[in-house]
Amino acid sequence: MAERGGAAARGGLLHSIKYLGHTLLGAAHTRLEIFATEIEEERLRLEQLLLIALAAGFCLGMAMVLCVTFVLIYFWDTHRLLAVGLLAMAFLAVAAALGWILRARVKSRPKPFVITRSELAKDGAMLREL
């Protein structure tokens, strides 16, 4: 009978260790899935920003070329230097405004992997309580 109780205790201990291993593996799997999802979200966000920036840059470049050509042809005989100077100042102002907008967008973006970090912090706190 004593052997039976010892065997049952060992089976209980092995069962507890298996259960703990499965629990830890499940938690690690969940955290990795969250991390992978956040990486994908960040990649998509960066792709969108890049596509928008490229499209805006192309359109801005075309508009600048056409506007400069128009103004220079219009003022060629009378005030060509004034026209070039004003266009240069206008482009400088637009570039400064776009730089300011880009800086604001970069500063206001969310920190990456916030959910993963919070889940890992919760896990650490839970393990410290044990």
Side-chain angles (χ1 to χ4, degrees), residues 79-118:
H79 306 297
R80 83 183 100 177
L81 290 178
L82 178 63
V84 169
L86 290 175
L87 287 170
M89 289 183 357
F91 287 133
L92 185 61
V94 169
L98 290 174
W100 180 77
I101 290 169
L102 183 63
R103 182 175 174 233
R105 293 283 307 255
V106 168
K107 281 188 171 185
S108 69
R109 74 179 180 91
K111 291 189 176 199
F113 316 120
V114 172
I115 297 172
T116 300
R117 285 192 240 169
S118 70

Side-chain angles (χ1 to χ4, degrees), residues 25-46:
L25 186 62
H29 181 71
T30 301
R31 299 314 178 254
L32 285 175
E33 284 180 350
I34 292 170
F35 185 65
T37 301
E38 287 184 321
I39 286 175
E40 182 66 19
E41 287 176 356
E42 191 66 24
R43 185 186 65 79
L44 288 173
R45 186 177 300 115
L46 288 174

Side-chain angles (χ1 to χ4, degrees), residues 5-19:
R10 278 182 288 186
L13 180 61
L14 286 176
H15 178 72
S16 294
I17 291 172
K18 279 185 181 180
Y19 182 74

Side-chain angles (χ1 to χ4, degrees), residues 32-85:
L32 285 175
E33 284 180 350
I34 292 170
F35 185 65
T37 301
E38 287 184 321
I39 286 175
E40 182 66 19
E41 287 176 356
E42 191 66 24
R43 185 186 65 79
L44 288 173
R45 186 177 300 115
L46 288 174
E47 272 182 14
Q48 289 174 349
L49 284 175
L50 180 62
L51 287 174
I52 291 169
L54 287 174
F58 176 76
C59 291
L60 183 62
M62 290 300 295
M64 288 185 330
V65 168
L66 293 173
C67 285
V68 166
T69 304
F70 173 76
V71 171
L72 289 179
I73 290 171
Y74 187 78
F75 288 108
W76 189 257
D77 290 332
T78 57
H79 306 297
R80 83 183 100 177
L81 290 178
L82 178 63
V84 169

